[in-house]
Amino acid sequence: MHFIKELRKHQLMVAVRTATPEQAYMAAAACIEGGIRFIEITFSVPDAAEVIRRLSNDKRAKIGAGTVLTTGDVKKALGAGAQYIVSPNFDEKVVALTKKEGAISIPGACTPTEIYRAYKAGGDVIKLFPFVEIGGLDFLKVIRGPFPYINYMLCGGVKLDNISGYLAAGAAGILVGSAIMRRDLVEAADWRSIAEIAGKFAGKAEGFSGKK
């Protein structure tokens, strides 16, 4: 699948969670400027669908919706141009509608049973959440024993000083949040600094990819 191939190539997806739509748009634009190619606008952002609509015009990045909990939100997100749907949990109806509409489904799961059910229901990538709390990289290594064919997204705990371990794990992707979307920078509207941090993360991923 082209989407997963691209995700594996670039590795990083940034979850944008802000207090206002304008903050979300500007922060996302800064991340794209810094080299991030997958942006998730969470549905906790007011008017998230409109932010997705605006960002969808930028062909440098693939834009998706996050914290999608209902089929109603799936419809809003896809109607706005979202290419993938990310959830913190596994909801069979959310996955089914996402797949029916031809979009990429990334449900969340944290136990062997949830992971397998989400995969069997049609999840293209399974988001391991909360990644650190369920065992982090050690958990990933163990869960790959019975389920080596599942594409995993690691959600939680990644920072510049430990990203090498995440990249070496060879997951389909790594979801980054507050390490790039720093609250103090968002509140100060310091988009340049967010772009610089995003660039450092993207550079690490690109450098690691180049070593393969």
Side-chain angles (χ1 to χ4, degrees):
M1 189 179 295
H2 179 69
F3 178 92
I4 294 176
K5 183 179 179 181
E6 284 295 298
L7 181 60
R8 284 189 173 279
K9 176 183 176 181
H10 297 287
Q11 281 288 294
L12 303 178
M13 180 184 292
V14 172
V16 178
R17 190 185 304 275
T18 62
T20 71
E22 190 60 24
Q23 285 176 335
Y25 176 79
M26 294 302 293
C31 287
I32 295 171
E33 195 63 36
I36 302 297
R37 296 296 170 247
F38 292 84
I39 301 290
E40 168 198 323
I41 303 299
T42 67
F43 256 60
S44 59
V45 173
D47 241 352
E50 184 55 32
V51 178
I52 291 170
R53 194 183 310 279
R54 290 176 67 188
L55 289 168
S56 293
N57 294 321
D58 194 327
K59 301 309 177 186
R60 293 175 295 175
K62 297 183 185 298
I63 310 301
T67 319
V68 177
L69 304 177
T70 68
T71 54
D73 284 345
V74 172
K75 293 175 184 177
K76 289 178 185 176
L78 297 182
Q83 297 180 52
Y84 50 93
I85 299 295
V86 186
S87 300
N89 63 313
F90 165 56
D91 185 298
E92 196 167 351
K93 291 181 180 178
V94 167
V95 173
L97 180 59
T98 300
K99 298 305 297 175
K100 180 182 177 182
E101 296 299 324
I104 300 296
S105 174
I106 308 178
C110 70
T111 68
T113 299
E114 287 179 344
I115 290 166
Y116 189 66
R117 284 186 61 214
Y119 167 76
K120 290 293 285 183
D124 298 289
V125 181
I126 307 304
K127 182 175 83 168
L128 298 181
F129 173 80
F131 188 56
V132 173
E133 288 78 3
I134 62 176
L137 295 171
D138 288 337
F139 178 82
L140 175 64
K141 184 177 180 180
V142 171
I143 205 66
R144 272 182 166 155
F147 308 132
Y149 44 80
I150 293 178
N151 291 300
Y152 297 102
M153 176 171 285
L154 316 182
C155 179
V158 65
K159 300 176 183 177
L160 265 178
D161 61 5
N162 69 1
I163 190 173
S164 294
Y166 279 67
L167 291 167
I174 301 166
L175 189 60
V176 188
S178 58
I180 293 177
M181 298 295 302
R182 282 177 37 186
R183 183 177 297 180
D184 59 328
L185 297 179
V186 171
E187 291 178 350
D190 189 351
W191 313 124
R192 179 177 294 181
S193 292
I194 288 178
E196 288 175 356
I197 295 171
K200 290 178 181 177
F201 272 86
K204 289 266 191 179
E206 194 174 313
F208 189 88
S209 178
K211 294 175 183 177
K212 291 182 179 180

